[in-house]
Amino acid sequence: MQIESHAGSPVTRKYWVTGIPQQIATGLCGVIAVFIALKAVAFDPEGTGLATNSDHFVRVLSFAALTVWTAFTIGVQRRNIAAIISLVFAIIVELLLIPTTHSGLSTITAANLGIVLAYCGLELYWNALVEAPNADQSQTEASKD
């Protein structure tokens, strides 16, 4: 996979599989991420105390995982679009299932928090991808001098 950095130089990253196995692995991970997000919406914790907000915690984690999977599927350089896709999915799922679960607006907020946290992590990951080749080039140029 070739990515273009901010400076315009290409950044090449090789992942563990390519071709048909990559497509199968990506598809299966996507199915798992969607099922986890749907299960998080239907999650109904029992108990009191710390378990009271565990449904929100599960939503934050599941929608963050869905956002990261979407970004890696369509490309980390398109992380903005991945976050928007996950946000639209979360809103549609939550609005269709809120009348059945009676959870209210706080579940959408938890899903959005997971998406935002994943986006921030992806932004930091992207900056590390872009800066790493530049640091390597500057070190090799310094060692030549």
Short mmCIF file of all heavy atoms in Angstrom, two decimals, residues 54 58 65 72 94 111 121 132:
data_model
loop_
_atom_site.label_atom_id
_atom_site.label_comp_id
_atom_site.label_asym_id
_atom_site.label_seq_id
_atom_site.Cartn_x
_atom_site.Cartn_y
_atom_site.Cartn_z
N SER A 54 -22.24 0.17 32.14
CA SER A 54 -21.46 -0.73 31.31
C SER A 54 -21.99 -0.81 29.88
O SER A 54 -21.22 -1.08 28.96
CB SER A 54 -21.39 -2.12 31.93
OG SER A 54 -22.67 -2.68 32.01
N VAL A 58 -19.59 -0.44 26.64
CA VAL A 58 -19.56 -1.40 25.54
C VAL A 58 -19.82 -0.69 24.21
O VAL A 58 -19.19 -0.98 23.20
CB VAL A 58 -20.60 -2.52 25.77
CG1 VAL A 58 -20.79 -3.38 24.54
CG2 VAL A 58 -20.18 -3.39 26.95
N ALA A 65 -14.15 0.35 17.65
CA ALA A 65 -13.61 -0.75 16.85
C ALA A 65 -14.16 -0.71 15.43
O ALA A 65 -13.42 -0.95 14.46
CB ALA A 65 -13.96 -2.09 17.50
N PHE A 72 -9.20 1.26 8.34
CA PHE A 72 -8.19 0.37 7.77
C PHE A 72 -8.68 -0.28 6.49
O PHE A 72 -7.88 -0.65 5.65
CB PHE A 72 -7.75 -0.68 8.78
CG PHE A 72 -6.81 -0.14 9.83
CD1 PHE A 72 -6.93 -0.53 11.14
CD2 PHE A 72 -5.82 0.76 9.49
CE1 PHE A 72 -6.07 -0.04 12.11
CE2 PHE A 72 -4.95 1.26 10.44
CZ PHE A 72 -5.08 0.85 11.76
N GLU A 94 -29.11 3.30 16.17
CA GLU A 94 -29.66 3.75 17.45
C GLU A 94 -31.07 4.32 17.31
O GLU A 94 -31.91 4.13 18.17
CB GLU A 94 -28.73 4.78 18.09
CG GLU A 94 -27.39 4.24 18.52
CD GLU A 94 -27.44 3.38 19.76
OE1 GLU A 94 -28.48 3.35 20.45
OE2 GLU A 94 -26.42 2.73 20.04
N ALA A 111 -21.98 6.11 21.60
CA ALA A 111 -21.47 5.64 20.31
C ALA A 111 -20.61 6.71 19.64
O ALA A 111 -19.55 6.42 19.09
CB ALA A 111 -22.64 5.24 19.40
N GLY A 121 -7.30 8.55 17.75
CA GLY A 121 -6.24 7.56 17.67
C GLY A 121 -5.74 7.37 16.25
O GLY A 121 -4.53 7.23 16.01
N ALA A 132 7.46 9.12 10.40
CA ALA A 132 8.50 8.09 10.49
C ALA A 132 9.43 8.10 9.28
O ALA A 132 10.65 8.07 9.46
CB ALA A 132 7.87 6.72 10.69
#
